[in-house]
Amino acid sequence: MVEVLSVAVVVGSGVVAGVLFAVALSVFPALQAMPADRYVYTHKLVGRHWDPTMPVLVLSSTAADVVLAAVSAAGRPWFGAAAVLLAAVSVVSHFCNVPINRRVKSLPDWTIPAGWRDPRPLWRRWHLLRTALAALAALANAVGVITG
């Protein structure tokens, strides 16, 4: 069981970190370069499949890390740290990025209301934080597997 969970946390946290890194490196800069109306339309399209998938992946990886922290002697601090880091990814996502996403998705396509405040700079800051947390979680999991 430990071996299976070890593979699961490395793959899970690696995918989370990789997806968030790809968004930071490529997707978001493209969204940032768009006029507001195109940004809103594209943001809605891009988020359709991420929104239901990423929370499941983050939370299942977190749960697996908690189990590994409980049963692994040598890797315990690393798996515990990874669980905390992934939980932080979830918190930042849920309380910072997701509310912004919901506001953007509530806008009509191709029409930006008067007085609209562009959420992209704030969204980017929160996204970079969760990307760094996810990368550290993946690193902690890799070290946990090596030491455990």
Side-chain angles (χ1 to χ4, degrees), residues 11 16 26 28 31-32 35 41 46 52 65 80 89 101 104 106 109 112 118 127 131 135 141 146-147:
V11 171
V16 169
S26 183
F28 188 76
L31 292 172
Q32 201 167 21
Y41 178 76
V46 170
D65 269 320
V89 169
N101 293 347
V104 171
S106 72
D109 288 343
I112 301 302
D118 192 340
H127 182 73
T131 302
N141 278 322
I146 291 169
T147 60

Side-chain angles (χ1 to χ4, degrees), residues 10-11 23 25 40 46 48 65 67 81 91 103 110 123 129 132:
V10 168
V11 171
V23 169
L25 185 66
V40 169
V46 170
R48 281 190 300 185
D65 269 320
V67 171
V91 167
R103 283 195 307 271
W110 308 112
W123 191 95
L129 173 60

Side-chain angles (χ1 to χ4, degrees), residues 1-2 9 13-14 16 25 39 45 49 52 68 77 80 85 94 101 104 106 124 128 133-134 137 140 142 144-145:
M1 177 174 108
V2 170
V9 296
S13 62
V16 169
L25 185 66
Y39 157 69
L45 291 175
H49 299 291
L68 283 171
L85 290 162
H94 184 73
N101 293 347
V104 171
S106 72
R124 179 180 183 265
L128 292 176
L133 293 167
V145 168

